[in-house]
Amino acid sequence: MAKKSMIAREVKRQKLARQYADKRAKLRAIVADPEVDFDEKMAASAALAKLPRDSSYTRQVRRCALTGRPKGVYRKFGMGRNKLRQLAMAGEIPGLRKSSW
């Protein structure tokens, strides 16, 4: 089980990312637009740098929904490999079987 502080930190990052998503998208569009002059691009870039770091989507870490484990998490199930295997062996995940050939 992950520390509660680490899980709380991820929740904070998700909240900040949602809060600043529109503002960040507008500033990134200005920076990427080839029609905009250099001074405006630099101003937009500086404004992006002033936003909180945790408001960036890429700072988020995918965690297991059951344990909070940060590594070995399957996107499709939203669970860590350990819990996924444990629940699959118990037959708790519909349509998932252990492969054998």
Side-chain angles (χ1 to χ4, degrees):
M1 189 76 183
K3 290 170 50 173
K4 290 182 181 178
S5 61
M6 298 305 287
I7 294 172
R9 189 179 296 171
E10 286 302 320
V11 170
K12 178 185 170 189
R13 285 183 183 145
Q14 290 172 359
K15 180 181 168 189
L16 277 172
R18 280 192 303 259
Q19 182 180 348
Y20 286 95
D22 294 334
K23 190 172 193 176
R24 197 169 267 282
K26 288 176 186 174
L27 290 172
R28 286 178 56 96
I30 291 171
V31 172
D33 189 8
E35 300 296 320
V36 177
D37 64 325
F38 183 72
D39 292 330
E40 288 183 47
K41 284 187 180 191
M42 291 306 289
S45 181
L48 262 175
K50 287 184 180 180
L51 292 177
R53 281 188 178 182
D54 283 343
S55 67
S56 175
Y57 177 75
T58 57
R59 300 255 312 177
Q60 295 179 22
V61 176
R62 187 174 295 108
R63 289 185 173 268
C64 175
L66 301 176
T67 62
R69 179 185 167 92
K71 297 181 179 181
V73 177
Y74 285 87
R75 287 183 184 194
K76 185 173 183 177
F77 301 102
M79 285 187 280
R81 60 183 177 80
N82 303 345
K83 285 294 175 181
L84 181 68
R85 183 175 188 273
Q86 186 180 20
L87 293 175
M89 291 298 186
E92 307 246 340
I93 302 175
L96 189 67
R97 289 191 324 182
K98 184 177 179 198
S99 65
S100 61
W101 57 91

